[in-house]
Amino acid sequence: MQSLVRVSLETKRALDMAAFETAIAAAPEVQQAWYVSGGFDYGLLVCARDMASYEAFIRRFLVDEPLVRDFEANITLRRLKTGTAVPVYLPDSEPT
């Protein structure tokens, strides 16, 4: 199962952010992570074997983590598109 998780930290102190980033980078459940602008500080793509594994991840890295102020998660119901290609357009050319 996959989940898109948005995370807000209690502070924006560099040491706190670095500690959170280090923990998330080491978590095998986190497939992708982004430091983002807007209402939340981080976006995570989390993959887990099942709901029990997902709950264990959430408790370990978010619920019981004092640096985390809030998080919001959306469980992926169906994957519509997956890819890693980046479209590159040359000047004066049409996208293909």
Side-chain angles (χ1 to χ4, degrees):
M1 64 177 287
Q2 289 184 317
S3 178
L4 303 173
V5 182
R6 290 168 302 283
V7 180
S8 291
L9 298 186
E10 283 290 347
T11 73
K12 306 296 189 263
R13 293 187 317 211
L15 287 176
D16 291 339
M17 292 173 70
F20 179 77
E21 291 171 10
T22 298
I24 289 302
E29 298 91 343
V30 177
Q31 298 294 299
Q32 297 180 33
W34 308 276
Y35 175 51
V36 299
S37 63
F40 288 86
D41 300 315
Y42 294 93
L44 311 176
L45 175 61
V46 177
C47 293
R49 180 180 53 241
D50 52 28
M51 189 55 81
S53 299
Y54 177 71
E55 183 180 2
F57 167 81
I58 293 295
R59 287 188 182 281
R60 191 168 64 250
F61 288 97
L62 303 174
V63 173
D64 294 336
E65 174 53 60
L67 292 176
V68 174
R69 179 183 65 205
D70 191 21
F71 71 94
E72 184 176 300
N74 296 97
I75 303 296
T76 302
L77 300 176
R78 183 168 34 113
R79 186 178 301 156
L80 302 176
K81 182 177 179 179
T82 303
T84 58
V86 177
V88 178
Y89 304 112
L90 299 175
D92 300 324
S93 69
E94 290 294 317
T96 57

